[in-house]
Amino acid sequence: MRKTSLIHCFARQVIRSSSSSSSYCRSFSSSPSNNKLFVAGLSWSVDEKSLKEAFSSFGEVSEVRIMYDKDSGRSRGFGFVNFSREDEASSAKDAMDGKALLGRPLKVSFALDKVNREPLNTRYSNRGTTFGRSR
DNA sequence: GTTGAGCGTT
């Protein structure tokens, strides 16, 4: 009876409602996102469909997003893969992490939640301050 | 025609 069961839930830290406004969820565990995967080390010639095809073999890929450069328009070499199940995502990560795609080693890891944030104190008037260049 | 550590828009 080898049932992969579920992931060991890692360290599930329940966010206590300390404040109804600040949700500073910093890297609590090694899995900030469950079904969200961060794929890096991709070749600059890789597309979303290639990644989806590569990760679709482990499960159902719900969404695949690759980041592209706004200046050049070329792929930055990293993207995000969303699975329908965290079990598949974990398998894909554990299976594709370290492997190679298009001749380049892939680096798969859980993605950080940067879209699930709902901050209220945001100053959109921060325009005008050039912080140099984006990282 | 280039480069190679990383965490992203709707």
Side-chain angles (χ1 to χ4, degrees), chain A residues 21-59:
Chain A
S21 50
S22 41
S23 35
Y24 290 111
C25 304
R26 273 198 196 183
S27 314
F28 275 129
S29 299
S30 303
S31 59
S33 42
N34 296 335
N35 6 356
K36 226 180 287 182
L37 248 54
F38 169 72
V39 186
L42 301 170
S43 191
W44 298 305
S45 305
V46 169
D47 5 34
E48 301 179 352
K49 73 167 167 52
S50 301
L51 263 181
K52 189 193 167 133
E53 289 294 310
F55 281 78
S56 188
S57 299
F58 297 96

Side-chain angles (χ1 to χ4, degrees), chain A residues 32-124:
Chain A
S33 42
N34 296 335
N35 6 356
K36 226 180 287 182
L37 248 54
F38 169 72
V39 186
L42 301 170
S43 191
W44 298 305
S45 305
V46 169
D47 5 34
E48 301 179 352
K49 73 167 167 52
S50 301
L51 263 181
K52 189 193 167 133
E53 289 294 310
F55 281 78
S56 188
S57 299
F58 297 96
E60 186 175 303
V61 180
S62 177
E63 184 69 64
V64 178
R65 186 77 68 111
I66 296 189
M67 291 277 114
Y68 294 92
D69 191 86
K70 296 177 280 194
D71 301 323
S72 245
R74 293 174 191 171
S75 62
R76 285 189 181 178
F78 76 95
F80 300 89
V81 183
N82 199 249
F83 278 84
S84 301
R85 237 177 123 141
E86 49 184 297
D87 187 11
E88 303 171 337
S90 175
S91 297
K93 165 181 159 270
D94 188 44
M96 294 293 289
D97 183 31
K99 298 301 181 285
L101 185 62
L102 298 196
R104 244 72 185 188
L106 260 59
K107 292 177 282 190
V108 186
S109 26
F110 291 100
L112 315 174
D113 30 358
K114 283 210 175 165
V115 68
N116 262 353
R117 299 212 313 187
E118 41 221 299
L120 284 96
N121 56 344
T122 6
R123 277 195 195 175
Y124 298 101

